Amino acid sequence: MKYINLEKLIKKPERVKNIKAQSTKKKQLKVTWKKIKGVKYQVQYSLKKNMKNVRIKKNIKKNSVTIKKLKSNKKYYVRVRAYKEINGKKYLGKWSRIVSKKTK
């Protein structure tokens, strides 16, 4: 009997596409993206383009999130990735392109 490595059979989620950010209210950003079936999402946001000092929102099931308690009139950089959890192990997709938006 041969041992089958399941990790080689499991496909990582694809890269998140069509990411958009809008400043709907003061000190808030609404981030939306194209939905992928059967995954959860992580969203990172930062004041720096190189994503230093990032904040992360985890376990998002919808294809949008509103980030609150931001600084007013500042440019934020946001990126998203999808991940699957199988048997307690996370399989991470690649980060999306970085999108920037200035808050109200």
Side-chain angles (χ1 to χ4, degrees):
M1 182 175 235
K2 288 188 175 183
Y3 174 75
I4 298 172
N5 190 353
L6 290 177
E7 289 186 20
K8 289 184 180 179
L9 296 176
I10 296 171
K11 290 185 179 179
K12 291 184 179 181
E14 60 189 72
R15 187 184 300 255
V16 177
K17 297 177 183 173
N18 296 355
I19 181 170
K20 295 175 186 148
Q22 296 176 323
S23 182
T24 53
K25 294 183 180 177
K26 196 168 186 158
K27 298 183 180 184
Q28 290 184 7
L29 277 181
K30 183 173 183 179
V31 183
T32 58
W33 56 88
K34 187 178 176 187
K35 190 169 184 155
I36 302 171
K37 266 191 172 179
V39 297
K40 293 181 183 177
Y41 304 95
Q42 292 179 345
V43 177
Q44 277 190 347
Y45 59 98
S46 176
L47 284 167
K48 298 182 181 180
K49 190 172 185 177
N50 61 4
M51 301 305 282
K52 299 274 183 177
N53 302 329
V54 297
R55 303 258 189 244
I56 300 175
K57 293 215 166 252
K58 299 179 181 179
N59 299 331
I60 299 166
K61 295 178 184 174
K62 298 179 184 178
N63 64 329
S64 67
V65 66
T66 301
I67 305 169
K68 299 178 181 180
K69 298 181 182 177
L70 302 175
K71 295 179 182 177
S72 188
N73 289 327
K74 296 285 185 179
K75 191 173 193 177
Y76 279 87
Y77 298 91
V78 183
R79 65 184 181 179
V80 182
R81 74 174 165 190
Y83 71 94
K84 291 181 186 178
E85 260 188 80
I86 300 172
N87 295 332
K89 186 168 182 180
K90 285 185 183 176
Y91 295 92
L92 302 170
K94 292 184 178 179
W95 286 109
S96 68
R97 65 182 178 85
I98 296 174
V99 173
S100 63
K101 188 66 177 179
K102 192 173 185 179
T103 56
K104 288 185 181 179

PDB file of all heavy atoms in Angstrom, residues 33-50:
ATOM      1  N   TRP A  33     -14.213  42.797  -3.332  1.00  0.00           N
ATOM      2  CA  TRP A  33     -13.440  42.007  -4.286  1.00  0.00           C
ATOM      3  C   TRP A  33     -14.327  40.926  -4.869  1.00  0.00           C
ATOM      4  O   TRP A  33     -15.443  40.698  -4.409  1.00  0.00           O
ATOM      5  CB  TRP A  33     -12.199  41.408  -3.622  1.00  0.00           C
ATOM      6  CG  TRP A  33     -12.518  40.583  -2.420  1.00  0.00           C
ATOM      7  CD1 TRP A  33     -12.817  39.249  -2.388  1.00  0.00           C
ATOM      8  CD2 TRP A  33     -12.598  41.015  -1.055  1.00  0.00           C
ATOM      9  NE1 TRP A  33     -13.070  38.837  -1.103  1.00  0.00           N
ATOM     10  CE2 TRP A  33     -12.934  39.902  -0.264  1.00  0.00           C
ATOM     11  CE3 TRP A  33     -12.414  42.247  -0.426  1.00  0.00           C
ATOM     12  CZ2 TRP A  33     -13.087  39.992   1.117  1.00  0.00           C
ATOM     13  CZ3 TRP A  33     -12.567  42.322   0.947  1.00  0.00           C
ATOM     14  CH2 TRP A  33     -12.904  41.199   1.696  1.00  0.00           C
ATOM     15  N   LYS A  34     -13.796  40.255  -5.914  1.00  0.00           N
ATOM     16  CA  LYS A  34     -14.529  39.171  -6.566  1.00  0.00           C
ATOM     17  C   LYS A  34     -14.524  37.941  -5.669  1.00  0.00           C
ATOM     18  O   LYS A  34     -13.477  37.539  -5.158  1.00  0.00           O
ATOM     19  CB  LYS A  34     -13.883  38.845  -7.913  1.00  0.00           C
ATOM     20  CG  LYS A  34     -14.652  37.856  -8.734  1.00  0.00           C
ATOM     21  CD  LYS A  34     -13.981  37.623 -10.066  1.00  0.00           C
ATOM     22  CE  LYS A  34     -14.716  36.551 -10.849  1.00  0.00           C
ATOM     23  NZ  LYS A  34     -13.986  36.198 -12.064  1.00  0.00           N
ATOM     24  N   LYS A  35     -15.688  37.333  -5.501  1.00  0.00           N
ATOM     25  CA  LYS A  35     -15.843  36.195  -4.593  1.00  0.00           C
ATOM     26  C   LYS A  35     -15.246  34.915  -5.184  1.00  0.00           C
ATOM     27  O   LYS A  35     -15.324  34.674  -6.389  1.00  0.00           O
ATOM     28  CB  LYS A  35     -17.322  35.978  -4.296  1.00  0.00           C
ATOM     29  CG  LYS A  35     -17.578  34.994  -3.196  1.00  0.00           C
ATOM     30  CD  LYS A  35     -19.010  35.024  -2.760  1.00  0.00           C
ATOM     31  CE  LYS A  35     -19.174  34.094  -1.588  1.00  0.00           C
ATOM     32  NZ  LYS A  35     -20.285  34.427  -0.749  1.00  0.00           N
ATOM     33  N   ILE A  36     -14.641  34.100  -4.318  1.00  0.00           N
ATOM     34  CA  ILE A  36     -14.118  32.778  -4.676  1.00  0.00           C
ATOM     35  C   ILE A  36     -14.866  31.769  -3.821  1.00  0.00           C
ATOM     36  O   ILE A  36     -15.037  31.977  -2.622  1.00  0.00           O
ATOM     37  CB  ILE A  36     -12.594  32.687  -4.407  1.00  0.00           C
ATOM     38  CG1 ILE A  36     -11.853  33.771  -5.183  1.00  0.00           C
ATOM     39  CG2 ILE A  36     -12.072  31.310  -4.773  1.00  0.00           C
ATOM     40  CD1 ILE A  36     -10.391  33.885  -4.821  1.00  0.00           C
ATOM     41  N   LYS A  37     -15.307  30.667  -4.418  1.00  0.00           N
ATOM     42  CA  LYS A  37     -16.102  29.670  -3.686  1.00  0.00           C
ATOM     43  C   LYS A  37     -15.267  28.921  -2.647  1.00  0.00           C
ATOM     44  O   LYS A  37     -14.131  28.535  -2.911  1.00  0.00           O
ATOM     45  CB  LYS A  37     -16.677  28.644  -4.658  1.00  0.00           C
ATOM     46  CG  LYS A  37     -18.051  28.953  -5.135  1.00  0.00           C
ATOM     47  CD  LYS A  37     -18.628  27.770  -5.861  1.00  0.00           C
ATOM     48  CE  LYS A  37     -20.079  27.993  -6.169  1.00  0.00           C
ATOM     49  NZ  LYS A  37     -20.657  26.882  -6.894  1.00  0.00           N
ATOM     50  N   GLY A  38     -15.856  28.694  -1.479  1.00  0.00           N
ATOM     51  CA  GLY A  38     -15.290  27.805  -0.477  1.00  0.00           C
ATOM     52  C   GLY A  38     -14.052  28.298   0.242  1.00  0.00           C
ATOM     53  O   GLY A  38     -13.248  27.496   0.700  1.00  0.00           O
ATOM     54  N   VAL A  39     -13.878  29.623   0.347  1.00  0.00           N
ATOM     55  CA  VAL A  39     -12.689  30.153   1.020  1.00  0.00           C
ATOM     56  C   VAL A  39     -13.080  31.247   2.009  1.00  0.00           C
ATOM     57  O   VAL A  39     -14.192  31.752   1.992  1.00  0.00           O
ATOM     58  CB  VAL A  39     -11.658  30.734   0.012  1.00  0.00           C
ATOM     59  CG1 VAL A  39     -11.138  29.677  -0.914  1.00  0.00           C
ATOM     60  CG2 VAL A  39     -12.245  31.887  -0.758  1.00  0.00           C
ATOM     61  N   LYS A  40     -12.134  31.590   2.872  1.00  0.00           N
ATOM     62  CA  LYS A  40     -12.231  32.750   3.748  1.00  0.00           C
ATOM     63  C   LYS A  40     -11.137  33.719   3.303  1.00  0.00           C
ATOM     64  O   LYS A  40     -10.259  33.365   2.524  1.00  0.00           O
ATOM     65  CB  LYS A  40     -12.019  32.344   5.204  1.00  0.00           C
ATOM     66  CG  LYS A  40     -13.120  31.466   5.756  1.00  0.00           C
ATOM     67  CD  LYS A  40     -12.843  31.133   7.195  1.00  0.00           C
ATOM     68  CE  LYS A  40     -13.898  30.188   7.753  1.00  0.00           C
ATOM     69  NZ  LYS A  40     -13.600  29.803   9.136  1.00  0.00           N
ATOM     70  N   TYR A  41     -11.190  34.929   3.836  1.00  0.00           N
ATOM     71  CA  TYR A  41     -10.267  35.958   3.383  1.00  0.00           C
ATOM     72  C   TYR A  41      -9.537  36.613   4.546  1.00  0.00           C
ATOM     73  O   TYR A  41     -10.032  36.647   5.664  1.00  0.00           O
ATOM     74  CB  TYR A  41     -11.015  37.052   2.606  1.00  0.00           C
ATOM     75  CG  TYR A  41     -11.800  36.527   1.444  1.00  0.00           C
ATOM     76  CD1 TYR A  41     -13.153  36.230   1.575  1.00  0.00           C
ATOM     77  CD2 TYR A  41     -11.209  36.311   0.215  1.00  0.00           C
ATOM     78  CE1 TYR A  41     -13.886  35.750   0.503  1.00  0.00           C
ATOM     79  CE2 TYR A  41     -11.930  35.829  -0.863  1.00  0.00           C
ATOM     80  CZ  TYR A  41     -13.269  35.555  -0.705  1.00  0.00           C
ATOM     81  OH  TYR A  41     -13.986  35.066  -1.757  1.00  0.00           O
ATOM     82  N   GLN A  42      -8.350  37.144   4.234  1.00  0.00           N
ATOM     83  CA  GLN A  42      -7.599  37.993   5.144  1.00  0.00           C
ATOM     84  C   GLN A  42      -7.379  39.319   4.431  1.00  0.00           C
ATOM     85  O   GLN A  42      -7.085  39.340   3.240  1.00  0.00           O
ATOM     86  CB  GLN A  42      -6.233  37.392   5.483  1.00  0.00           C
ATOM     87  CG  GLN A  42      -6.300  36.145   6.315  1.00  0.00           C
ATOM     88  CD  GLN A  42      -4.915  35.575   6.591  1.00  0.00           C
ATOM     89  OE1 GLN A  42      -3.939  35.943   5.958  1.00  0.00           O
ATOM     90  NE2 GLN A  42      -4.851  34.662   7.524  1.00  0.00           N
ATOM     91  N   VAL A  43      -7.547  40.420   5.160  1.00  0.00           N
ATOM     92  CA  VAL A  43      -7.347  41.749   4.592  1.00  0.00           C
ATOM     93  C   VAL A  43      -6.265  42.446   5.394  1.00  0.00           C
ATOM     94  O   VAL A  43      -6.317  42.488   6.620  1.00  0.00           O
ATOM     95  CB  VAL A  43      -8.657  42.577   4.650  1.00  0.00           C
ATOM     96  CG1 VAL A  43      -8.434  43.976   4.124  1.00  0.00           C
ATOM     97  CG2 VAL A  43      -9.757  41.884   3.881  1.00  0.00           C
ATOM     98  N   GLN A  44      -5.272  42.983   4.699  1.00  0.00           N
ATOM     99  CA  GLN A  44      -4.211  43.765   5.337  1.00  0.00           C
ATOM    100  C   GLN A  44      -4.347  45.204   4.897  1.00  0.00           C
ATOM    101  O   GLN A  44      -4.633  45.470   3.730  1.00  0.00           O
ATOM    102  CB  GLN A  44      -2.826  43.274   4.921  1.00  0.00           C
ATOM    103  CG  GLN A  44      -2.316  42.101   5.677  1.00  0.00           C
ATOM    104  CD  GLN A  44      -0.848  41.823   5.364  1.00  0.00           C
ATOM    105  OE1 GLN A  44      -0.291  42.349   4.412  1.00  0.00           O
ATOM    106  NE2 GLN A  44      -0.239  40.995   6.158  1.00  0.00           N
ATOM    107  N   TYR A  45      -4.107  46.138   5.823  1.00  0.00           N
ATOM    108  CA  TYR A  45      -4.103  47.545   5.454  1.00  0.00           C
ATOM    109  C   TYR A  45      -3.007  48.269   6.215  1.00  0.00           C
ATOM    110  O   TYR A  45      -2.631  47.884   7.315  1.00  0.00           O
ATOM    111  CB  TYR A  45      -5.469  48.196   5.685  1.00  0.00           C
ATOM    112  CG  TYR A  45      -5.980  48.147   7.102  1.00  0.00           C
ATOM    113  CD1 TYR A  45      -5.836  49.233   7.953  1.00  0.00           C
ATOM    114  CD2 TYR A  45      -6.631  47.017   7.590  1.00  0.00           C
ATOM    115  CE1 TYR A  45      -6.323  49.203   9.242  1.00  0.00           C
ATOM    116  CE2 TYR A  45      -7.118  46.973   8.876  1.00  0.00           C
ATOM    117  CZ  TYR A  45      -6.958  48.069   9.700  1.00  0.00           C
ATOM    118  OH  TYR A  45      -7.433  48.023  10.979  1.00  0.00           O
ATOM    119  N   SER A  46      -2.458  49.300   5.569  1.00  0.00           N
ATOM    120  CA  SER A  46      -1.319  50.017   6.119  1.00  0.00           C
ATOM    121  C   SER A  46      -1.303  51.440   5.584  1.00  0.00           C
ATOM    122  O   SER A  46      -1.890  51.731   4.540  1.00  0.00           O
ATOM    123  CB  SER A  46      -0.028  49.304   5.732  1.00  0.00           C
ATOM    124  OG  SER A  46       1.102  50.027   6.165  1.00  0.00           O
ATOM    125  N   LEU A  47      -0.584  52.318   6.270  1.00  0.00           N
ATOM    126  CA  LEU A  47      -0.371  53.680   5.785  1.00  0.00           C
ATOM    127  C   LEU A  47       0.833  53.748   4.854  1.00  0.00           C
ATOM    128  O   LEU A  47       1.065  54.763   4.210  1.00  0.00           O
ATOM    129  CB  LEU A  47      -0.161  54.639   6.961  1.00  0.00           C
ATOM    130  CG  LEU A  47      -1.421  55.021   7.729  1.00  0.00           C
ATOM    131  CD1 LEU A  47      -1.079  55.705   9.036  1.00  0.00           C
ATOM    132  CD2 LEU A  47      -2.313  55.902   6.887  1.00  0.00           C
ATOM    133  N   LYS A  48       1.614  52.671   4.779  1.00  0.00           N
ATOM    134  CA  LYS A  48       2.822  52.645   3.952  1.00  0.00           C
ATOM    135  C   LYS A  48       2.645  51.679   2.788  1.00  0.00           C
ATOM    136  O   LYS A  48       2.101  50.597   2.939  1.00  0.00           O
ATOM    137  CB  LYS A  48       4.024  52.235   4.795  1.00  0.00           C
ATOM    138  CG  LYS A  48       4.306  53.218   5.913  1.00  0.00           C
ATOM    139  CD  LYS A  48       5.515  52.825   6.701  1.00  0.00           C
ATOM    140  CE  LYS A  48       5.742  53.834   7.816  1.00  0.00           C
ATOM    141  NZ  LYS A  48       6.895  53.508   8.615  1.00  0.00           N
ATOM    142  N   LYS A  49       3.156  52.077   1.617  1.00  0.00           N
ATOM    143  CA  LYS A  49       2.996  51.275   0.411  1.00  0.00           C
ATOM    144  C   LYS A  49       3.716  49.930   0.505  1.00  0.00           C
ATOM    145  O   LYS A  49       3.283  48.938  -0.069  1.00  0.00           O
ATOM    146  CB  LYS A  49       3.503  52.056  -0.804  1.00  0.00           C
ATOM    147  CG  LYS A  49       3.152  51.414  -2.110  1.00  0.00           C
ATOM    148  CD  LYS A  49       3.497  52.300  -3.271  1.00  0.00           C
ATOM    149  CE  LYS A  49       3.021  51.658  -4.552  1.00  0.00           C
ATOM    150  NZ  LYS A  49       3.273  52.512  -5.703  1.00  0.00           N
ATOM    151  N   ASN A  50       4.828  49.873   1.243  1.00  0.00           N
ATOM    152  CA  ASN A  50       5.575  48.620   1.379  1.00  0.00           C
ATOM    153  C   ASN A  50       4.966  47.690   2.424  1.00  0.00           C
ATOM    154  O   ASN A  50       5.541  46.668   2.766  1.00  0.00           O
ATOM    155  CB  ASN A  50       7.043  48.903   1.694  1.00  0.00           C
ATOM    156  CG  ASN A  50       7.237  49.651   2.997  1.00  0.00           C
ATOM    157  OD1 ASN A  50       6.288  49.909   3.725  1.00  0.00           O
ATOM    158  ND2 ASN A  50       8.467  50.008   3.295  1.00  0.00           N
TER     159      ASN A  50
END
